[in-house]
Amino acid sequence: MERELQLLWVAVACYVAAGVVAIFGVVLGKRPERTVLGLLTAALAIHGYSIGVRWERLGHGPFITLFEILSSNIWSLTLVFALAYWRYRPVRPIAAIVMPILFVMMAWLLVTDPERGHLPATYDTLWLYIHIGFGKIFLGAVLVAVGMAGVILLREAGWGIAKLARLPADDRLDDLAYRFMALGLIFETLMLVAGAIWAQDAWGRYWAWDPLETWAFITWLTLAFALHLRFTVKTSPRTGAVMILSVFALAFLTFFGVPFISTSPHKGAI
Amino acid sequence: MAGPDRAPGKNWLGRVASLKFTLAILVLLGIGVALSYQNRDGGWVTWLMVGPLALFALNLIAAIATHPTIRTQAWLLIFHLALLAIILLVAAGRLTYLKGAIELTEGEVFGGELTRAESGLWHWWRLDRVRFVNQGFTINYAPGVQREHTYNRVRWVDEHGIERTATIGDQTPLVLYGYRFYTSFNKGFAPVFSWYPAGGGAPRRGSVHLPSYPAKEFSQAQGWTLPGNLKVWAMLQIDEVILDRDKASRFRAPEKHRLVLRIGDDRHELRPGGRVALPQGVLVYEGLRAWMGYRVFSDWTLPWLLASCALAVVSLALHFWRKFSAKPWSPA
Ligand code: HEM
């Protein structure tokens, strides 16, 4: 386990360096984008290797303990974000908003117990991987939208308008952010369907309103509401941004809050 | 993009189709879900979901019928139709589903009776046709009494009269006549008895299911009534370690054990083959078996629901794909 953890801390250091460089880039009006992308790539590679070593050692994927769930989500969220960063140059400075959110998760990771957990028999199915994979893409897409929503709200609050001037105008950010929300909706829907298939096989019911199912469904409804609100009452980018943050907050609570209020991910599991 | 200004006419259908109404319904549904989650037991809770869902369906039908945007964008239309199909199927499922539980001792034939059942108003009962035998099961435990896979052997005769066997458990149910039988964590030990009535008469054989093991490891006792209204209480005393905290082990009926019986004021301690002679007859303790608890589930809408969900996701993806590729994002 020593080795895994050492690799993990090196990766965390790279993530933090990438975030710090990105933040200073915005503050100083510089564009250290290649450095940020390089650091993110290095962090992903090292962290991915660390997850792989642990997977190999324990014989199951990183989805049992809080430590594993946080770690694998930091990895997948960064991966989705790095792809968006690479692909959408004009919005790259949003890294200064997205990375601090990941820092919070990393700080949480530092204080969680890395001990192994027990893999329940019901977790031994391909559907679990599909379900989790879709969920990770969903959350990643919403995180990218949060970056743009953050810029809109910071400008609204009158903070760093000059520093953020390099970014596209609010309506353009809003447009791109909602494309990511649309991607999020597709993958959240897929996540719910794959989860229901798994639940039917594992517990003989496809839906039972357990805490995770309930909150995931409320998140889905909120996302539907956000999209509908946008064309029904022609919302401003600011309202759109607030809706994005609400969806992210709900999704975040569902992913990392609910499973640890009740003792195991999916109460019906054990 | 179409907005409220392009909304359908102001006739009644147009009003029902209003997209502001959709927003209100989505909020109502969210509140309904949250409230029914917190108050699971109230009978009225159902209506917190049924009400908004009924409005949802009405609003959706009206919008599909009248809204220009939804009617002219094929994939968007298909997506909303699939949503409607999902709601209608879920409603149909709730009216016709069956959820229940049974317990079968090793070697016992399922005879169509459920120990616990909950069903929709219009469930079409066909359980009486279903027969299968529990032929025993294997469950390994990791150290720390952590349950691993369940392998349960079952045997049945199919519609063509051919005898079939299978191993079910965890992700794999036995599906017969649309009923799905899932093994569960609920399982335990079952003392088997024979009863020989005094003065002749056919002997009877049966088993008594002790509480779930290891969940109720320390209350392995059960009471029941013998023919002639004789009240019996039995407690299993296990004299060996079955599931070891410190190393891997396997669920099995204990060999070293005693059965303490209380009949009236008398106490008896029996080992397999032991007997108690009573004025009403003789009770013979034949030995200990295991029983398995199954969840029973039936819902004919499952494949249709899955198909509708697949259609919904594919059409949603295609709608956005078309929309976004027609007008690629640009920073200015
Ligand atoms: C009461 C139920 C609903 C009604 C009446 C309804 C109606 C509509 C209508 C009329 C449009 C086209 C709006 C326009 O562009 O002018 C639309 C778009 C859309 N609806 Fe719904 N809808 C309902 C529920 C839902 C739900 C639950 C979802 C799930 C997430 C959803 C997802 C969407 C999406 C993704 C779009 C396309 C948005 C876009 O192209 O940007 N709808 N809906």
Side-chain angles (χ1 to χ4, degrees), chain A residues 127-240:
Chain A
W127 285 110
L128 173 66
Y129 294 83
I130 298 175
H131 172 63
I132 290 176
F134 286 150
K136 288 190 186 317
I137 301 176
F138 153 63
L139 200 63
V142 179
L143 180 69
V144 176
V146 164
M148 289 173 260
V151 172
I152 293 170
L153 292 176
L154 284 179
R155 282 175 173 163
E156 195 73 33
W159 190 89
I161 293 182
K163 309 274 180 220
L164 299 173
R166 211 159 22 91
L167 281 147
D170 285 357
D171 67 325
R172 299 284 72 219
L173 286 178
D174 174 78
D175 185 3
L176 186 57
Y178 270 90
R179 290 181 188 218
F180 277 95
M181 294 301 272
L183 188 70
L185 177 63
I186 294 169
F187 280 96
E188 187 179 23
T189 311
L190 283 167
M191 171 183 88
L192 293 185
V193 176
I197 295 173
W198 172 35
Q200 180 67 53
D201 284 346
W203 307 302
R205 87 293 187 290
Y206 62 87
W207 196 271
W209 299 110
D210 78 14
L212 267 184
E213 288 164 353
T214 305
W215 285 102
F217 184 72
I218 289 177
T219 311
W220 187 84
L221 276 182
T222 312
L223 189 40
F225 180 88
L227 289 170
H228 274 252
L229 188 68
R230 223 161 149 263
F231 55 68
T232 304
V233 291
K234 290 256 162 25
T235 47
S236 61
R238 177 169 171 266
T239 312

Side-chain angles (χ1 to χ4, degrees), chain A residues 13-249:
Chain A
C14 291
Y15 286 129
V16 172
V20 169
V21 171
I23 293 168
F24 275 103
V26 170
V27 173
L28 304 174
K30 298 231 160 26
R31 310 190 69 153
E33 290 168 6
R34 290 170 74 100
T35 314
V36 173
L37 200 54
L39 282 167
L40 285 180
T41 311
L44 282 169
I46 299 167
H47 188 183
Y49 184 59
S50 157
I51 291 175
V53 171
R54 184 181 173 93
W55 193 322
E56 181 72 28
R57 178 170 70 86
L58 300 183
H60 65 71
F63 37 63
I64 302 298
T65 62
L66 178 57
F67 177 85
E68 290 166 352
I69 294 175
L70 277 172
S71 171
S72 66
N73 275 287
I74 290 169
W75 186 82
S76 60
L77 289 172
T78 312
L79 179 66
V80 175
F81 177 68
L83 287 172
Y85 188 91
W86 168 63
R87 179 83 182 68
Y88 291 95
R89 281 169 171 262
V91 298
R92 283 182 174 175
I94 64 170
I97 289 165
V98 170
M99 291 311 292
I101 297 174
L102 293 171
F103 290 171
V104 174
M105 292 175 67
M106 289 174 215
W108 191 2
L109 181 67
L110 287 177
V111 295
T112 40
D113 180 3
E115 267 317 306
R116 73 180 298 167
H118 173 70
L119 180 79
T122 45
Y123 278 44
D124 186 12
T125 156
L126 187 63
W127 285 110
L128 173 66
Y129 294 83
I130 298 175
H131 172 63
I132 290 176
F134 286 150
K136 288 190 186 317
I137 301 176
F138 153 63
L139 200 63
V142 179
L143 180 69
V144 176
V146 164
M148 289 173 260
V151 172
I152 293 170
L153 292 176
L154 284 179
R155 282 175 173 163
E156 195 73 33
W159 190 89
I161 293 182
K163 309 274 180 220
L164 299 173
R166 211 159 22 91
L167 281 147
D170 285 357
D171 67 325
R172 299 284 72 219
L173 286 178
D174 174 78
D175 185 3
L176 186 57
Y178 270 90
R179 290 181 188 218
F180 277 95
M181 294 301 272
L183 188 70
L185 177 63
I186 294 169
F187 280 96
E188 187 179 23
T189 311
L190 283 167
M191 171 183 88
L192 293 185
V193 176
I197 295 173
W198 172 35
Q200 180 67 53
D201 284 346
W203 307 302
R205 87 293 187 290
Y206 62 87
W207 196 271
W209 299 110
D210 78 14
L212 267 184
E213 288 164 353
T214 305
W215 285 102
F217 184 72
I218 289 177
T219 311
W220 187 84
L221 276 182
T222 312
L223 189 40
F225 180 88
L227 289 170
H228 274 252
L229 188 68
R230 223 161 149 263
F231 55 68
T232 304
V233 291
K234 290 256 162 25
T235 47
S236 61
R238 177 169 171 266
T239 312
V242 171
M243 286 311 303
I244 291 173
L245 291 192
S246 318
V247 172
F248 183 72

Side-chain angles (χ1 to χ4, degrees), chain B:
Chain B
M1 184 190 291
D5 38 309
R6 266 182 56 194
K10 286 278 172 260
N11 58 10
W12 66 269
L13 192 61
R15 285 204 190 99
V16 178
S18 154
L19 289 184
K20 294 208 172 108
F21 190 31
T22 311
L23 293 176
I25 291 168
L26 291 176
V27 173
L28 271 180
L29 192 56
I31 295 174
V33 170
L35 283 179
S36 42
Y37 170 62
Q38 282 174 355
N39 308 280
R40 298 186 154 234
D41 305 325
W44 52 275
V45 164
T46 318
W47 297 102
L48 288 175
M49 297 285 292
V50 173
L53 278 176
L55 292 176
F56 192 107
L58 278 179
N59 179 225
L60 199 48
I61 293 170
I64 289 169
T66 60
H67 208 286
T69 321
I70 219 172
R71 289 171 61 101
T72 49
Q73 300 190 27
W75 293 118
L76 192 61
L77 175 64
I78 294 173
F79 169 70
H80 285 86
L81 282 172
L83 268 188
L84 183 60
I86 291 169
I87 294 179
L88 297 179
L89 283 168
V90 167
R94 293 309 292 174
L95 287 170
T96 53
Y97 80 105
L98 170 96
K99 214 168 90 181
I102 57 169
E103 290 174 5
L104 291 181
T105 310
E106 276 170 284
E108 189 179 351
V109 183
F110 171 62
E113 293 278 315
L114 298 175
T115 46
R116 196 155 41 79
E118 167 195 317
S119 67
L121 221 50
W122 298 329
H123 178 68
W124 184 28
W125 288 90
R126 292 195 299 177
L127 256 184
D128 52 338
R129 300 192 200 171
V130 179
R131 293 282 177 281
F132 76 94
V133 188
N134 166 14
Q135 294 206 293
F137 58 88
T138 310
I139 304 174
N140 291 327
Y141 276 76
V145 192
Q146 307 264 24
R147 185 167 52 92
E148 302 203 294
H149 290 287
T150 300
Y151 301 99
N152 182 195
R153 296 163 295 282
V154 290
R155 182 165 48 85
W156 73 99
V157 176
D158 73 7
E159 300 98 282
H160 311 295
I162 300 171
E163 191 170 283
R164 297 194 175 277
T165 57
T167 301
I168 62 169
D170 301 322
Q171 331 296 339
T172 324
L174 169 68
V175 185
L176 296 176
Y177 294 96
Y179 291 96
R180 307 167 76 89
F181 294 86
Y182 296 85
T183 58
S184 72
F185 66 88
N186 190 26
K187 66 200 173 306
F189 303 124
V192 179
F193 295 99
S194 291
W195 172 248
Y196 299 90
R204 289 172 61 176
R205 198 179 157 99
S207 62
V208 175
H209 292 183
L210 296 173
S212 193
Y213 191 93
K216 297 193 174 147
E217 190 178 350
F218 301 110
S219 52
Q220 290 293 302
Q222 190 64 280
W224 76 102
T225 313
L226 277 173
N229 214 13
L230 260 182
K231 295 228 182 315
V232 184
W233 178 88
M235 185 176 69
L236 176 66
Q237 294 215 314
I238 301 174
D239 299 324
E240 61 181 312
V241 176
I242 299 296
L243 300 176
D244 203 321
R245 298 228 146 255
D246 302 322
K247 55 180 200 270
S249 41
R250 173 171 287 192
F251 184 93
R252 60 181 171 83
E255 280 155 22
K256 292 190 196 140
H257 71 272
R258 289 159 291 154
L259 201 64
V260 177
L261 281 189
R262 218 176 265 289
I263 306 176
D265 292 332
D266 297 330
R267 182 180 184 281
H268 309 266
E269 217 175 278
L270 300 181
R271 293 189 191 274
R275 53 178 55 217
V276 182
L278 299 160
Q280 294 88 337
V282 178
L283 184 67
V284 180
Y285 172 45
E286 305 281 5
L288 204 58
R289 301 266 171 82
W291 61 266
M292 171 55 79
Y294 298 85
R295 266 185 278 243
V296 188
F297 184 77
S298 156
D299 186 343
W300 62 272
T301 64
L302 284 184
W304 301 101
L305 260 179
L306 185 58
S308 309
C309 287
L311 187 63
V313 177
V314 169
S315 53
L316 184 65
L318 287 171
H319 165 71
F320 282 130
W321 180 265
R322 276 202 41 194
K323 181 172 160 171
F324 297 149
S325 54
K327 218 170 146 197
W329 182 77
S330 73

